[in-house]
Amino acid sequence: MEFTELGDSTVPAGRLVFWTPAAPVSAWADDPREPALVHEHHVRTAATRGPGHRDPAWIGVSFGVGRAGRQRVGAAFTAWLRGHEHLRSRLVPTPGRCTRRTLPASAVTLRREDVGVFADGASVRRQIEAFFDRSANPLGWPQVVLATVEGADGTTVFAGADHGVMDGYTLAMIPGQIRDALAGRAGHVPGPTFLDFGAEERNLVGRLPARPEHTGPWRALLDDSRGRTPAFPLPLGASGASGASGASGAPNAQRSAYRWLLDGPAATTFAAASRAGGGTTAAGLLACLALAAARVSGERHLSVISLANARPDRWRAAPGWFVGLHPVRIPAAPRADFAGTVALAAAELRRRGPGPGSSLPHLSRMLRKEIHPRFVVSYLDVRRVPGTPPRPQDTMLRSRIHSPAEVYLWLTRSDRGVHLSARFPDTAVARANVGRFVQAAAYAATRAADAHRAAEAVPTPA
């Protein structure tokens, strides 16, 4: 399963249909449940920009469902939306707080718009991108919309959602959930929902003291970067500082790049090599990034902010936005070996505790400083999501982004292997330097897998 910008994705030609959730105004009811801290922060930040602000920041997913009639597809979409209450709820920003309003499941319907038949996929892609840009935003409802393309090989579904109600873990659940709905297996997801999480989170963080063991790693990471979050270890070009445009012509535009670091068999061997060094695949990949930083920049350590699934056990199967931020600092040297570096990475991952205390707004309050991540890495194993697993060709999507200094790396583990997706400033310098860094990380991962395979092949003396 890959994670790509929609503008870089292959979209089929065919008949395009938009599906927009709808409900009568009278059906909305006040909901006393407090929002998750990160969702409230997301909505309040959007409110300060105003409703006219348009800088898309949605995420989504695309997947095929075979030959399915429109009526059947619409019924599956409706069942899916009604089954997830966080998709039929909204936050209304008011002075000092956000209030929640929620719809009963029975009030949700779908409005269908037949856009037309398109002979080329590029035209379909532009239509879907514009639809998601104008429809999936934090301040209104719905926060998720859908599109279908009826093409030569069947129907392809595209879902786009405001980030406030979904994370990557949720995206990986959606194809299986909607396929289940098409097969008549849709039902209520047991256990608490994202809407129940806010009160639990606030209760937990309210009891967390700002002790050195909680704040120390963050303060050390910020001190290393003169009070700011870590930056990518190589120059990115001056377009952000000067206000100039990138190659795409848009101010502070970002570009994306993609690479399969390891295929399926190599990823299995790499996981074994990571375990032999005392770590997981996630620790092994962080070790490869640390080795890459040392190789191409001479840095003596990798400093980065890591995103991680922060669902408490009771919310393991719940869709929503459950993402924690964690400070990562892994020593490395140009000639360091993988086994030693993966042990350091594993220790760093054990030290961080994913959970409610790792949300962006809580960290900012705890540190008494606004946190603005610049260099970020995320790891997601889509084989571990609950429910029906995604298929190899299912694709997680994201909108285009504008930022002068951010570099994000998403590492996705699936049966196909390990896929890397990156976004970075669209400058010649950034394109070259991020390319060098990714090449070095791929080399480190391949070398670790090859060395472990060779070691296992050596016969044991009798």
Side-chain angles (χ1 to χ4, degrees), residues 386-445:
T388 304
R391 297 175 183 172
Q393 299 305 317
D394 299 345
T395 304
M396 295 181 289
L397 304 170
R398 63 179 185 270
S399 65
R400 66 191 182 282
I401 293 290
H402 294 82
S403 172
E406 291 178 357
V407 175
Y408 274 61
L409 305 176
W410 291 275
L411 296 157
T412 306
R413 174 73 165 100
S414 68
D415 289 333
R416 292 178 67 191
V418 176
H419 182 259
L420 182 145
S421 175
R423 69 168 172 86
F424 48 88
D426 187 12
T427 67
V429 173
R431 291 194 296 275
N433 282 338
V434 172
R436 288 174 58 208
F437 181 85
V438 170
Q439 175 68 28
Y443 172 79

Side-chain angles (χ1 to χ4, degrees), residues 329-364:
R329 192 173 188 273
I330 302 171
R335 290 183 173 81
D337 67 338
F338 175 77
T341 309
V342 77
L344 294 171
E348 187 76 351
L349 291 183
R350 284 192 294 270
R351 180 177 61 78
R352 71 177 198 192
S358 57
S359 70
L360 174 64
H362 174 69
L363 291 170
S364 294

Side-chain angles (χ1 to χ4, degrees), residues 108-380:
V108 177
T109 58
L110 272 176
R111 185 172 64 250
R112 190 179 82 190
E113 178 187 353
D114 295 314
V115 182
V117 178
F118 296 84
D120 64 289
S123 297
V124 178
R125 184 178 63 239
R126 287 191 293 269
Q127 290 279 342
I128 294 173
E129 186 171 26
F131 176 50
F132 288 177
D133 285 354
R134 65 178 180 264
S135 303
N137 69 81
L139 297 179
W141 187 87
Q143 285 133 10
V144 58
V145 290
L146 302 116
T148 53
V149 183
E150 300 164 12
D153 297 322
T155 296
T156 304
V157 175
F158 293 81
D162 174 60
H163 207 331
V165 296
M166 288 190 188
D167 55 16
Y169 198 75
T170 302
L171 294 181
M173 297 181 197
I174 291 174
Q177 291 173 344
I178 291 182
R179 288 181 179 124
D180 285 348
L182 280 165
R185 295 192 297 267
H188 173 70
V189 177
T193 73
F194 185 51
L195 270 59
D196 301 312
F197 175 68
E200 176 83 359
E201 178 188 32
R202 289 164 191 267
N203 180 46
L204 289 171
V205 301
R207 301 199 307 263
L208 287 175
R211 292 176 178 168
E213 59 264 33
H214 299 299
T215 61
W218 274 106
R219 295 197 188 282
L221 197 74
L222 297 175
D223 288 346
D224 280 349
S225 301
R226 300 179 181 179
R228 303 179 70 189
T229 57
F232 185 70
L234 291 169
L236 297 172
S239 70
S242 66
S245 298
S248 67
N252 300 331
Q254 290 229 320
R255 174 179 288 249
S256 292
Y258 317 97
R259 178 171 180 145
W260 281 96
L261 297 185
L262 300 162
D263 63 17
T268 300
T269 306
F270 179 83
S274 299
R275 287 193 299 273
T280 61
T281 299
L285 292 170
L286 279 174
C288 291
L289 297 182
L291 293 170
R295 183 182 181 91
V296 301
S297 72
E299 292 284 348
R300 309 300 292 187
H301 57 265
L302 172 73
S303 292
V304 65
I305 290 177
S306 172
L307 303 182
N309 174 26
R311 285 168 171 77
D313 287 344
R314 288 202 301 139
W315 279 268
R316 181 180 177 273
W321 192 10
F322 299 85
V323 173
L325 278 65
H326 307 282
V328 172
R329 192 173 188 273
I330 302 171
R335 290 183 173 81
D337 67 338
F338 175 77
T341 309
V342 77
L344 294 171
E348 187 76 351
L349 291 183
R350 284 192 294 270
R351 180 177 61 78
R352 71 177 198 192
S358 57
S359 70
L360 174 64
H362 174 69
L363 291 170
S364 294
R365 282 203 290 268
M366 183 176 67
L367 296 168
R368 298 180 181 179
K369 183 182 186 65
E370 286 294 321
I371 301 297
H372 299 287
R374 293 187 294 166
F375 181 31
V376 177
V377 62
S378 170
Y379 173 76
L380 173 64

